[in-house]
Amino acid sequence: MTDEVNLNMRVKPAAFKRLLVEVRACRICEAHLPNPPRPILRASATARVLIVGQAPGRRVHETGIPWNDPSGELLRKWLGTDRDEFYDEGRIAIIPAGFCYPGTGPSGDLPPRPECAPHWHPKLRALLPRIRLTLLIGSYAQAYYLAGRRKKTLAGTVRARAEYLPEFFPLPHPSPRNRLWMKINPWFEAEVIPQLRRRFRACLRGVV
Ligand code: SF4
């Protein structure tokens, strides 16, 4: 039996759809949210790339579309992709560290709810057998997936990406608030973005 046949046997679209129904009915941290829960994620069992971001902002919460904001525009530019490909959930899964908008505090959006990733990510990952690359965008995604393997700073973690590849690719958050970070870390655009594009494209094509 070939590896591809084995892989196909492990892809369980019906089980994955059932799990998504459960996620969308989740009320675990309702008491801590500013609005009724609205989990925002997109995925299907055949996806090859997983994008793990932070948590929906207000605009994403209102539209129900992940990365539907200036951060998403920049992320698509980094990846060298367009909206059609980015939102093809059969190829790209988008599952943030927290699925519901957590509200805003004095210095911007609040962190993702800590209950969310530990409860849902292992269940979702177990039904995504074809993922070849997981983009860890921002410190919350990196804290959950890399835990003690993170470096002291975000720049340190991104620079050390060879330690986490081929499974994980750590990235800064493409928020306009991080423009200064991009400016003082020009190696990111010069070295990391070309590598990111190559790896992203190869995983989507199924050549790795
Ligand atoms: S943030 Fe996560 S854990 Fe909380 S209600 Fe939404 S889906 Fe459930």
Side-chain angles (χ1 to χ4, degrees):
M1 195 176 289
T2 66
D3 286 351
E4 189 61 24
V5 173
N6 270 323
L7 206 51
N8 285 335
M9 289 173 69
R10 286 187 276 122
V11 170
K12 295 178 177 161
F16 195 81
K17 278 185 188 161
R18 279 197 299 276
L19 180 57
L20 282 183
V21 170
E22 267 184 61
V23 171
R24 290 188 171 120
C26 179
R27 295 290 179 273
I28 289 173
C29 67
E30 183 171 22
H32 303 283
L33 300 175
N35 303 299
R38 188 182 192 192
I40 296 172
L41 66 161
R42 301 168 67 97
S44 89
T46 56
R48 286 188 171 274
V49 173
L50 169 60
I51 297 175
V52 183
Q54 190 165 309
R58 185 184 299 278
R59 181 168 160 190
V60 169
H61 171 78
E62 285 166 1
T63 61
I65 303 171
W67 296 101
N68 185 30
D69 54 15
S71 299
E73 290 305 319
L74 185 55
L75 177 59
R76 285 183 281 278
K77 196 170 159 196
W78 286 353
L79 295 172
T81 189
D82 58 18
R83 288 180 72 94
D84 285 347
E85 183 175 66
F86 187 81
Y87 290 119
D88 178 356
E89 62 192 30
R91 302 171 79 201
I92 300 175
I94 302 176
I95 301 178
F99 303 164
C100 300
Y101 171 55
T104 305
S107 51
D109 284 350
L110 293 173
R113 285 302 312 170
E115 302 87 343
C116 199
H119 186 83
W120 288 116
H121 276 239
K123 295 184 173 103
L124 288 160
R125 287 300 308 257
L127 294 174
L128 289 168
R130 284 186 172 176
I131 296 294
R132 291 293 174 271
L133 174 66
T134 298
L135 308 183
L136 300 177
I137 300 183
S139 56
Y140 296 107
Q142 289 158 24
Y144 180 71
Y145 275 97
L146 302 180
R149 297 166 66 205
R150 270 199 308 167
K151 307 302 174 193
K152 284 190 182 139
T153 63
L154 176 75
T157 302
V158 176
R159 275 191 190 278
R161 60 197 176 281
E163 291 180 24
Y164 316 119
L165 284 164
E167 186 178 8
F168 298 117
F169 202 128
L171 293 166
H173 198 283
S175 161
R177 295 165 65 96
N178 284 341
R179 278 198 193 117
L180 181 61
W181 189 94
M182 314 286 166
K183 209 168 176 177
I184 59 178
N185 292 286
W187 51 271
F188 175 73
E189 203 155 340
E191 298 164 24
V192 182
I193 296 295
Q195 184 187 10
L196 172 68
R197 282 188 189 165
R198 283 194 300 275
R199 180 85 195 147
F200 173 73
R201 194 52 52 198
C203 289
L204 282 189
R205 285 194 185 125
V207 295
V208 290

PDB file of all heavy atoms in Angstrom, residues 23 26-30 33 37-39 98-100 113 115-116 120, ligand 1:
ATOM      1  N   VAL A  23     -17.333  22.732  17.684  1.00  0.00           N
ATOM      2  CA  VAL A  23     -16.575  23.961  17.961  1.00  0.00           C
ATOM      3  C   VAL A  23     -17.506  25.166  17.859  1.00  0.00           C
ATOM      4  O   VAL A  23     -17.494  26.055  18.721  1.00  0.00           O
ATOM      5  CB  VAL A  23     -15.395  24.131  16.965  1.00  0.00           C
ATOM      6  CG1 VAL A  23     -14.771  25.505  17.125  1.00  0.00           C
ATOM      7  CG2 VAL A  23     -14.346  23.056  17.175  1.00  0.00           C
ATOM      8  N   CYS A  26     -19.496  25.985  20.834  1.00  0.00           N
ATOM      9  CA  CYS A  26     -18.736  26.087  22.093  1.00  0.00           C
ATOM     10  C   CYS A  26     -19.163  27.316  22.908  1.00  0.00           C
ATOM     11  O   CYS A  26     -19.341  28.407  22.370  1.00  0.00           O
ATOM     12  CB  CYS A  26     -17.245  26.156  21.785  1.00  0.00           C
ATOM     13  SG  CYS A  26     -16.223  26.312  23.261  1.00  0.00           S
ATOM     14  N   ARG A  27     -19.281  27.118  24.206  1.00  0.00           N
ATOM     15  CA  ARG A  27     -19.623  28.215  25.128  1.00  0.00           C
ATOM     16  C   ARG A  27     -18.675  28.216  26.337  1.00  0.00           C
ATOM     17  O   ARG A  27     -18.993  28.824  27.366  1.00  0.00           O
ATOM     18  CB  ARG A  27     -21.070  28.051  25.635  1.00  0.00           C
ATOM     19  CG  ARG A  27     -22.143  28.178  24.543  1.00  0.00           C
ATOM     20  CD  ARG A  27     -22.230  29.624  24.054  1.00  0.00           C
ATOM     21  NE  ARG A  27     -23.205  29.820  23.001  1.00  0.00           N
ATOM     22  CZ  ARG A  27     -22.976  29.672  21.705  1.00  0.00           C
ATOM     23  NH1 ARG A  27     -21.778  29.291  21.280  1.00  0.00           N
ATOM     24  NH2 ARG A  27     -23.898  29.910  20.813  1.00  0.00           N
ATOM     25  N   ILE A  28     -17.528  27.538  26.224  1.00  0.00           N
ATOM     26  CA  ILE A  28     -16.666  27.299  27.388  1.00  0.00           C
ATOM     27  C   ILE A  28     -16.303  28.583  28.136  1.00  0.00           C
ATOM     28  O   ILE A  28     -16.366  28.636  29.360  1.00  0.00           O
ATOM     29  CB  ILE A  28     -15.385  26.550  26.963  1.00  0.00           C
ATOM     30  CG1 ILE A  28     -15.720  25.108  26.594  1.00  0.00           C
ATOM     31  CG2 ILE A  28     -14.335  26.571  28.072  1.00  0.00           C
ATOM     32  CD1 ILE A  28     -14.557  24.328  25.996  1.00  0.00           C
ATOM     33  N   CYS A  29     -15.899  29.616  27.401  1.00  0.00           N
ATOM     34  CA  CYS A  29     -15.449  30.821  28.118  1.00  0.00           C
ATOM     35  C   CYS A  29     -16.397  31.995  27.881  1.00  0.00           C
ATOM     36  O   CYS A  29     -15.979  33.151  27.990  1.00  0.00           O
ATOM     37  CB  CYS A  29     -14.013  31.176  27.735  1.00  0.00           C
ATOM     38  SG  CYS A  29     -13.811  31.692  26.036  1.00  0.00           S
ATOM     39  N   GLU A  30     -17.639  31.679  27.606  1.00  0.00           N
ATOM     40  CA  GLU A  30     -18.647  32.702  27.308  1.00  0.00           C
ATOM     41  C   GLU A  30     -18.657  33.832  28.341  1.00  0.00           C
ATOM     42  O   GLU A  30     -18.782  35.014  27.993  1.00  0.00           O
ATOM     43  CB  GLU A  30     -20.020  32.017  27.261  1.00  0.00           C
ATOM     44  CG  GLU A  30     -21.151  32.930  26.900  1.00  0.00           C
ATOM     45  CD  GLU A  30     -22.441  32.138  26.667  1.00  0.00           C
ATOM     46  OE1 GLU A  30     -22.551  30.995  27.175  1.00  0.00           O
ATOM     47  OE2 GLU A  30     -23.324  32.663  25.983  1.00  0.00           O
ATOM     48  N   LEU A  33     -16.201  36.706  27.606  1.00  0.00           N
ATOM     49  CA  LEU A  33     -16.192  37.359  26.289  1.00  0.00           C
ATOM     50  C   LEU A  33     -17.118  38.574  26.275  1.00  0.00           C
ATOM     51  O   LEU A  33     -18.146  38.579  26.965  1.00  0.00           O
ATOM     52  CB  LEU A  33     -16.629  36.365  25.200  1.00  0.00           C
ATOM     53  CG  LEU A  33     -15.759  35.111  25.044  1.00  0.00           C
ATOM     54  CD1 LEU A  33     -16.373  34.156  24.011  1.00  0.00           C
ATOM     55  CD2 LEU A  33     -14.342  35.466  24.643  1.00  0.00           C
ATOM     56  N   PRO A  37     -20.342  34.026  22.049  1.00  0.00           N
ATOM     57  CA  PRO A  37     -19.258  33.356  21.323  1.00  0.00           C
ATOM     58  C   PRO A  37     -19.539  33.264  19.826  1.00  0.00           C
ATOM     59  O   PRO A  37     -20.661  32.959  19.415  1.00  0.00           O
ATOM     60  CB  PRO A  37     -19.214  31.954  21.937  1.00  0.00           C
ATOM     61  CG  PRO A  37     -19.798  32.130  23.298  1.00  0.00           C
ATOM     62  CD  PRO A  37     -20.833  33.210  23.172  1.00  0.00           C
ATOM     63  N   ARG A  38     -18.509  33.566  19.039  1.00  0.00           N
ATOM     64  CA  ARG A  38     -18.586  33.372  17.591  1.00  0.00           C
ATOM     65  C   ARG A  38     -17.240  32.818  17.128  1.00  0.00           C
ATOM     66  O   ARG A  38     -16.362  33.567  16.666  1.00  0.00           O
ATOM     67  CB  ARG A  38     -18.885  34.694  16.882  1.00  0.00           C
ATOM     68  CG  ARG A  38     -19.163  34.476  15.402  1.00  0.00           C
ATOM     69  CD  ARG A  38     -19.423  35.751  14.631  1.00  0.00           C
ATOM     70  NE  ARG A  38     -19.948  35.419  13.320  1.00  0.00           N
ATOM     71  CZ  ARG A  38     -20.063  36.277  12.310  1.00  0.00           C
ATOM     72  NH1 ARG A  38     -19.715  37.540  12.469  1.00  0.00           N
ATOM     73  NH2 ARG A  38     -20.541  35.885  11.158  1.00  0.00           N
ATOM     74  N   PRO A  39     -17.035  31.504  17.249  1.00  0.00           N
ATOM     75  CA  PRO A  39     -15.734  30.931  16.886  1.00  0.00           C
ATOM     76  C   PRO A  39     -15.472  31.126  15.395  1.00  0.00           C
ATOM     77  O   PRO A  39     -16.322  30.807  14.556  1.00  0.00           O
ATOM     78  CB  PRO A  39     -15.884  29.443  17.217  1.00  0.00           C
ATOM     79  CG  PRO A  39     -17.062  29.363  18.136  1.00  0.00           C
ATOM     80  CD  PRO A  39     -17.970  30.492  17.755  1.00  0.00           C
ATOM     81  N   GLY A  98      -7.070  31.506  19.827  1.00  0.00           N
ATOM     82  CA  GLY A  98      -8.387  31.676  20.460  1.00  0.00           C
ATOM     83  C   GLY A  98      -9.389  31.939  19.351  1.00  0.00           C
ATOM     84  O   GLY A  98      -9.130  32.756  18.477  1.00  0.00           O
ATOM     85  N   PHE A  99     -10.522  31.258  19.367  1.00  0.00           N
ATOM     86  CA  PHE A  99     -11.436  31.309  18.210  1.00  0.00           C
ATOM     87  C   PHE A  99     -12.404  32.490  18.258  1.00  0.00           C
ATOM     88  O   PHE A  99     -12.971  32.846  17.233  1.00  0.00           O
ATOM     89  CB  PHE A  99     -12.264  30.025  18.118  1.00  0.00           C
ATOM     90  CG  PHE A  99     -11.450  28.763  18.025  1.00  0.00           C
ATOM     91  CD1 PHE A  99     -12.039  27.527  18.271  1.00  0.00           C
ATOM     92  CD2 PHE A  99     -10.099  28.793  17.684  1.00  0.00           C
ATOM     93  CE1 PHE A  99     -11.302  26.357  18.190  1.00  0.00           C
ATOM     94  CE2 PHE A  99      -9.355  27.629  17.596  1.00  0.00           C
ATOM     95  CZ  PHE A  99      -9.964  26.405  17.860  1.00  0.00           C
ATOM     96  N   CYS A 100     -12.646  33.053  19.445  1.00  0.00           N
ATOM     97  CA  CYS A 100     -13.645  34.121  19.575  1.00  0.00           C
ATOM     98  C   CYS A 100     -12.962  35.455  19.927  1.00  0.00           C
ATOM     99  O   CYS A 100     -11.923  35.464  20.607  1.00  0.00           O
ATOM    100  CB  CYS A 100     -14.654  33.784  20.664  1.00  0.00           C
ATOM    101  SG  CYS A 100     -15.562  32.258  20.351  1.00  0.00           S
ATOM    102  N   ARG A 113      -8.357  33.754  24.604  1.00  0.00           N
ATOM    103  CA  ARG A 113      -8.775  33.092  25.848  1.00  0.00           C
ATOM    104  C   ARG A 113      -7.918  31.835  26.064  1.00  0.00           C
ATOM    105  O   ARG A 113      -7.747  31.019  25.155  1.00  0.00           O
ATOM    106  CB  ARG A 113     -10.250  32.686  25.775  1.00  0.00           C
ATOM    107  CG  ARG A 113     -11.225  33.833  25.920  1.00  0.00           C
ATOM    108  CD  ARG A 113     -11.078  34.611  27.199  1.00  0.00           C
ATOM    109  NE  ARG A 113     -11.003  33.772  28.384  1.00  0.00           N
ATOM    110  CZ  ARG A 113     -10.684  34.239  29.608  1.00  0.00           C
ATOM    111  NH1 ARG A 113     -10.381  35.520  29.778  1.00  0.00           N
ATOM    112  NH2 ARG A 113     -10.660  33.422  30.632  1.00  0.00           N
ATOM    113  N   GLU A 115      -8.442  29.145  27.597  1.00  0.00           N
ATOM    114  CA  GLU A 115      -9.128  27.840  27.590  1.00  0.00           C
ATOM    115  C   GLU A 115      -9.164  27.220  26.196  1.00  0.00           C
ATOM    116  O   GLU A 115      -9.326  26.005  26.038  1.00  0.00           O
ATOM    117  CB  GLU A 115     -10.603  27.982  28.040  1.00  0.00           C
ATOM    118  CG  GLU A 115     -10.824  28.588  29.403  1.00  0.00           C
ATOM    119  CD  GLU A 115     -10.885  30.120  29.370  1.00  0.00           C
ATOM    120  OE1 GLU A 115     -10.438  30.731  28.369  1.00  0.00           O
ATOM    121  OE2 GLU A 115     -11.362  30.698  30.373  1.00  0.00           O
ATOM    122  N   CYS A 116      -9.064  28.078  25.172  1.00  0.00           N
ATOM    123  CA  CYS A 116      -9.448  27.652  23.832  1.00  0.00           C
ATOM    124  C   CYS A 116      -8.474  26.641  23.199  1.00  0.00           C
ATOM    125  O   CYS A 116      -8.880  25.534  22.845  1.00  0.00           O
ATOM    126  CB  CYS A 116      -9.603  28.890  22.944  1.00  0.00           C
ATOM    127  SG  CYS A 116     -10.577  28.561  21.481  1.00  0.00           S
ATOM    128  N   TRP A 120      -9.325  22.713  22.208  1.00  0.00           N
ATOM    129  CA  TRP A 120      -9.733  22.386  20.836  1.00  0.00           C
ATOM    130  C   TRP A 120      -8.596  21.984  19.906  1.00  0.00           C
ATOM    131  O   TRP A 120      -8.802  21.176  18.989  1.00  0.00           O
ATOM    132  CB  TRP A 120     -10.485  23.572  20.217  1.00  0.00           C
ATOM    133  CG  TRP A 120     -11.848  23.773  20.792  1.00  0.00           C
ATOM    134  CD1 TRP A 120     -12.297  24.846  21.508  1.00  0.00           C
ATOM    135  CD2 TRP A 120     -12.960  22.870  20.707  1.00  0.00           C
ATOM    136  NE1 TRP A 120     -13.617  24.675  21.878  1.00  0.00           N
ATOM    137  CE2 TRP A 120     -14.042  23.468  21.394  1.00  0.00           C
ATOM    138  CE3 TRP A 120     -13.150  21.621  20.130  1.00  0.00           C
ATOM    139  CZ2 TRP A 120     -15.288  22.855  21.500  1.00  0.00           C
ATOM    140  CZ3 TRP A 120     -14.394  21.008  20.236  1.00  0.00           C
ATOM    141  CH2 TRP A 120     -15.441  21.624  20.921  1.00  0.00           C
TER     142      TRP A 120
HETATM  143  S1  SF4 B   1     -12.925  31.335  22.654  1.00  0.00           S
HETATM  144 FE1  SF4 B   1     -12.767  29.131  22.282  1.00  0.00          FE
HETATM  145  S2  SF4 B   1     -13.216  28.193  24.277  1.00  0.00           S
HETATM  146 FE2  SF4 B   1     -14.034  30.304  24.348  1.00  0.00          FE
HETATM  147  S3  SF4 B   1     -16.173  30.122  23.670  1.00  0.00           S
HETATM  148 FE3  SF4 B   1     -14.929  30.624  21.859  1.00  0.00          FE
HETATM  149  S4  SF4 B   1     -14.492  28.605  20.938  1.00  0.00           S
HETATM  150 FE4  SF4 B   1     -15.135  28.241  23.075  1.00  0.00          FE
END
